[in-house]
Amino acid sequence: MKKICFLLLSFIFAGFLQAQGASTFNFTFNHIALSVKDVDRSADFYKKVLKLNEITNKTKIDGIRWLSLGEGKELHLISILKESVTINKALHFALTTSDFDSFIKVLDEMKISYSDWPGTPQKINIRADGIKQIFFQDPDGYWIELNSVAQK
């Protein structure tokens, strides 16, 4: 009888541990931080090209500027670290706009080059799901993907 009780308690305890390990944390995206050489030049780029609004840098540390990506999401530009960063196109962040074609005109007017994923200059890629996308770089070489909302 003691063996049966011990075995039953072992199964119950194992089930409890398994249930504890299966919990979720419900993460949401908060911000992206980029290491930049010149924080003012980078902030100007994001404000002029993407029309991002600057928000309060709550760290109060010089060399850091914060910009709003909307919906409580933020872009933090940090120029206080001097280590080099290796950048390739796979390291990018993506933004979606319902006014894709107008934004392409803005890039053309500002003489900012863009490409499709393979790198063909000034070419718009259309994915298999019908979404248009392009890639361009900020002053530090970070890749930014811009895509359209799903085509109906």
Side-chain angles (χ1 to χ4, degrees):
M1 183 68 159
K2 286 182 182 180
K3 287 182 182 178
I4 293 173
C5 285
F6 177 75
L7 195 56
L8 184 58
L9 286 174
S10 295
F11 283 124
I12 291 170
F13 184 68
F16 173 76
L17 289 177
Q18 187 176 20
Q20 290 295 322
S23 65
T24 60
F25 293 103
N26 298 318
F27 292 115
T28 59
F29 181 78
N30 179 263
H31 74 271
I32 184 168
L34 300 178
S35 180
V36 300
K37 292 179 181 121
D38 182 331
V39 74
D40 296 327
R41 179 184 69 170
S42 293
D44 287 345
F45 173 86
Y46 284 99
K47 288 168 33 175
K48 287 178 184 172
V49 176
L50 298 178
K51 307 293 185 215
L52 300 184
N53 293 317
E54 190 153 5
I55 57 176
T56 303
N57 166 8
K58 295 178 184 169
T59 69
K60 306 290 186 208
I61 297 172
D62 288 336
I64 297 176
R65 291 177 68 180
W66 290 9
L67 302 161
S68 173
L69 291 168
E71 300 176 346
K73 313 308 183 232
E74 301 170 356
L75 171 62
H76 297 178
L77 303 173
I78 303 170
S79 67
I80 57 176
L81 302 175
K82 301 306 176 196
E83 293 90 7
S84 61
V85 177
T86 302
I87 300 168
N88 62 51
K89 199 179 271 186
L91 175 66
H92 69 271
F93 67 93
L95 302 172
T96 298
T97 180
S98 60
D99 206 2
F100 183 88
D101 295 329
S102 293
F103 186 76
I104 295 298
K105 289 178 186 173
V106 168
L107 290 178
D108 287 338
E109 289 168 4
M110 298 179 93
K111 299 190 183 335
I112 295 174
S113 63
Y114 57 89
S115 68
D116 60 3
W117 177 256
T120 307
Q122 307 312 103
K123 183 172 181 196
I124 297 169
N125 185 58
I126 300 179
R127 298 186 332 205
D129 59 3
I131 292 179
K132 297 176 186 178
Q133 69 182 165
I134 54 130
F135 295 84
F136 62 101
Q137 292 178 285
D138 78 357
D140 288 280
Y142 288 104
W143 286 98
I144 303 164
E145 173 187 338
L146 182 80
N147 60 57
S148 64
V149 294
Q151 304 295 300
K152 304 242 177 195

